[in-house]
Amino acid sequence: MKKLLLASVLAIASFPGYARAGDAELKAYQQQKKEYEQCVKTEGANSNRCIELSDFDWDQSELQPTPKPPARVTVTPPGPPPIGWVYGPYTMCGDPPRCSTGVVNVPADGLNVRVTPNGPPVMSLVNGTPLIPLQKQGDWLLVAPACDLTLTWAWSWNAGVPLNRCWVYF
């Protein structure tokens, strides 16, 4: 009986996910067996206490593994990548993080987007283009587009760079 019980506990403990619960039952069984062997040595196999120890009864609820709670994974999706630096006063969001979105608002054909604050321009954005401010450095904002940008096939007159606008989906 004991060998069968031990074999079943070992079989349960060998399955993934059951090992944690199986280890506890195995340790309890081994402790009970040790107490039984010590009882037989001191009191004899026919003593009432040793007989009770030899009939160790497994509680079926103990054989069920304790389910692990599901792992909580919180992933913050990355935002759009930055496209460059723009002069903050030419957007309607000159003071982030108080505003989460800005819009290009210049009295020219486009707002220049630069590699670094006051650096060389790489593109220009038409009025009304929504922007997401990511960082502020003085009056300059590092921005990401709040829409998919596309070329207008025109050039900025003041910087000689391509003029971009939001892509229009039909």
Side-chain angles (χ1 to χ4, degrees), residues 21-85:
D23 288 345
E25 280 84 21
L26 182 60
K27 287 179 184 177
Y29 175 79
Q30 289 171 342
Q31 179 66 30
Q32 188 73 25
K33 183 178 177 185
K34 195 182 286 185
E35 288 179 27
Y36 172 74
E37 289 171 353
Q38 190 173 6
C39 180
V40 169
K41 285 180 186 176
T42 58
E43 299 177 24
N46 293 330
S47 77
N48 288 339
R49 192 169 85 84
C50 293
I51 292 172
E52 285 181 23
L53 289 173
S54 69
D55 291 333
F56 185 67
D57 187 26
W58 288 90
D59 181 9
Q60 291 299 319
S61 65
E62 290 177 359
L63 295 177
Q64 300 300 319
T66 305
K68 292 182 181 178
R72 292 193 78 149
V73 178
T74 304
V75 177
T76 304
I83 56 173
W85 295 85

Side-chain angles (χ1 to χ4, degrees), residues 3 5 7 13 22 32 35 40-41 54 56 78 80 82 93-94 98 101 104 113 115 118 122 131 134 146 150 159-160:
K3 289 181 184 178
L5 188 55
Q32 188 73 25
E35 288 179 27
V40 169
K41 285 180 186 176
S54 69
F56 185 67
C93 174
R98 284 200 283 170
T101 307
V104 174
V113 179
V115 177
N118 210 18
V122 291
L131 300 172
L134 303 173
T150 186

Side-chain angles (χ1 to χ4, degrees), residues 112-142:
N112 293 331
V113 179
R114 301 172 183 272
V115 177
T116 59
N118 210 18
V122 291
M123 74 169 75
S124 189
L125 302 172
V126 300
N127 279 330
T129 304
L131 300 172
I132 301 170
L134 303 173
Q135 186 179 343
K136 184 174 180 178
Q137 195 174 76
D139 284 338
W140 294 90
L141 300 175
L142 179 64

